[in-house]
Amino acid sequence: MSLQQFVAALDDLADDAKRAFDAAADPDTLEEARIKFLGAKKGLLKSIQKQIGSVGKENMPTAGQRLNEVKSLIEQTFQATQDRLTGDAVDGADPTFDPTLPGIAPEIGHVHPITQTIDHLMEIMGRMGFEAAEGPEVEDPHHNFVALNIPEDHPARDPLDNFYLSVGDGQASRFVEGTRLLRSQTSTVQIRVMEQRQPPIRIISLGRVYRPDAPDATHFPMFHQMEGLMVDRNVTMANLKTVLRIFATNYLGDDVEIRFRPSFFPFTEPSVEVDFLWDGNWVEFGGAGMVDPNVFKAVGYDPEQVSGFAFGLGVERLCMRRHGITDIRDLYSGDLRFLRQF
Ligand code: PHE
């Protein structure tokens, strides 16, 4: 036998053995196959080994090395098959360990329903080309009011409706120089974005706002808003309505009913309130309108050149409407029996 023939015979044997082991459906059949290929006296490997002398003296080392490799390959294949058949697939596993017992699931928690809602809303608006923008939760009166066309004496600035912060060692007050407050609306982000960039602008901002409301089923002193702003040439109210309708059907389904009701906000003109039909009642979800020229002037845009729309919707209300939640306080109670449902 030449070296080549010897090696070929070994390779064929390895293939045959693997096929035979794979085909074995139970330990007895497998044992028969083992004896056939690896048997110490009459095994097929042994009979090839006996012919090793015929490869010639100079080829013996190579032939011997190849023989050993194939032998351990066949032994490994056999071992793996045996482990598979006896369910003992992990080498050196504890024999008292029963892999069929159910495992212990680690407690890893999950994303809060409002965070899930925010991700979902960003995804829907992202598909319409709105990019995420952010602003601080601690704001100055310029961004929360002045640039939004809300004058000094406007009731929206009342301390009863806002969380003013004390600055320095002074009292919390709307009149203290350098006063700050927790933002009462995400419309602040409209100003921050327009101060930084030039049109065209298409942004969405999802974040917390704060108002000193007594908690009840529909109010909480901290909640989230989704603010949208689009500024370009020739943006119209029709664009606003289309975007909000597409958003509403994407988030709440094709059969959602949405209504625009004339309203007033200092920073939009005209303004509308956005209502959704919810269990037979029209419920307000937020405000919207065409950006007021005074807001454009406050950020240095020319109202003759650009127009835009803005809207602000309550994120909790959207989440509650989608999931049938009836009390906003459930979202912030920390009660895991509630939270685990999402
Ligand atoms: N900021 C308003 C609110 O909190 C909502 C709004 C946003 C209205 C944008 C018009 C335009 O009530």
Side-chain angles (χ1 to χ4, degrees):
M1 209 193 254
S2 70
L3 176 65
Q4 242 177 359
Q5 288 168 330
F6 185 81
V7 170
L10 283 173
D11 288 344
D12 286 349
L13 189 75
D15 288 346
D16 291 348
K18 176 155 179 20
R19 230 171 283 129
F21 295 158
D22 282 349
D26 56 80
D28 287 345
T29 325
L30 180 64
E31 179 60 11
E32 278 167 32
R34 186 190 69 80
I35 293 168
K36 176 175 169 196
F37 289 96
L38 295 171
K41 285 189 187 133
K42 296 185 183 158
L44 292 172
L45 186 68
K46 198 77 193 174
S47 65
I48 297 181
Q49 191 183 342
K50 282 179 188 153
Q51 303 176 58
I52 196 166
S54 65
V55 299
K57 196 158 191 256
E58 71 285 8
N59 289 324
M60 285 277 275
T62 319
Q65 195 191 345
R66 191 71 198 136
L67 180 89
N68 286 333
E69 282 169 9
V70 168
K71 186 174 179 207
S72 51
L73 179 71
I74 297 177
E75 282 169 354
Q76 279 169 23
T77 315
F78 166 76
Q79 194 57 52
T81 314
Q82 190 175 51
D83 289 349
R84 176 169 58 74
L85 286 179
T86 56
D88 192 12
V90 183
D91 269 348
D94 175 358
T96 65
F97 173 73
D98 179 354
T100 65
L101 284 176
I104 302 162
E107 290 241 10
I108 53 171
H110 73 294
V111 176
H112 189 277
I114 286 299
T115 311
Q116 292 180 35
T117 303
I118 287 172
D119 291 346
H120 191 175
L121 301 178
M122 288 211 285
E123 192 221 306
I124 293 172
M125 296 307 297
R127 283 192 301 232
M128 282 193 275
F130 285 78
E131 102 191 68
E134 273 185 343
E137 290 175 25
V138 173
E139 264 296 6
D140 51 55
H142 176 76
H143 291 93
N144 204 85
F145 302 121
V146 180
L148 286 163
N149 201 30
I150 303 173
E152 186 72 73
D153 54 358
H154 194 281
R157 297 176 72 153
D158 197 288
L160 290 174
D161 292 324
N162 293 283
F163 287 110
Y164 284 94
L165 307 177
S166 51
V167 286
D169 44 15
Q171 292 282 305
S173 165
R174 65 195 279 196
F175 296 118
V176 172
E177 177 68 17
T179 191
R180 294 284 184 278
L181 74 160
L182 300 181
R183 67 179 177 191
S184 61
Q185 52 184 353
T186 46
S187 300
T188 54
V189 184
Q190 292 182 36
I191 303 303
R192 291 198 170 267
V193 168
M194 288 191 283
E195 282 173 345
Q196 299 285 323
R197 304 195 218 164
Q198 292 301 310
I201 284 174
R202 217 189 301 179
I203 57 103
I204 201 82
S205 186
L206 282 128
R208 294 191 184 99
V209 299
Y210 302 84
R211 294 178 191 176
D213 291 330
D216 63 25
T218 55
H219 295 87
F220 206 75
M222 181 282 303
F223 60 101
H224 295 73
Q225 287 185 328
M226 170 166 82
E227 190 84 15
L229 173 69
M230 176 166 173
V231 183
D232 205 336
R233 290 182 192 280
N234 305 319
V235 176
T236 69
M237 195 90 182
N239 299 137
L240 167 66
K241 292 174 77 173
T242 304
V243 164
L244 285 177
R245 264 184 216 288
I246 292 175
F247 160 73
T249 49
N250 268 273
Y251 185 63
L252 294 170
D254 284 343
D255 53 356
V256 68
E257 293 203 48
I258 169 171
R259 175 176 86 171
F260 300 94
R261 187 162 40 87
S263 185
F264 174 82
F265 296 100
F267 36 93
T268 47
E269 182 63 33
S271 303
V272 291
E273 217 106 22
V274 185
D275 298 338
F276 288 53
L277 200 59
W278 189 355
D279 291 339
N281 302 311
W282 288 106
V283 179
E284 183 208 323
F285 275 69
M290 301 307 292
V291 178
D292 192 288
N294 284 342
V295 173
F296 283 145
K297 284 184 202 149
V299 296
Y301 288 5
D302 180 355
E304 300 299 325
Q305 295 295 316
V306 293
S307 58
F309 67 71
F311 61 85
L313 300 181
V315 172
E316 278 76 2
R317 216 160 266 193
L318 288 164
C319 171
M320 289 166 74
R321 166 79 162 69
R322 186 178 157 96
H323 296 290
I325 299 167
T326 50
D327 194 321
I328 189 175
R329 290 168 296 191
D330 286 337
L331 286 164
Y332 300 115
S333 65
D335 188 337
L336 291 179
R337 293 169 304 174
F338 173 80
L339 293 172
R340 282 200 178 109
Q341 300 175 83
F342 299 93

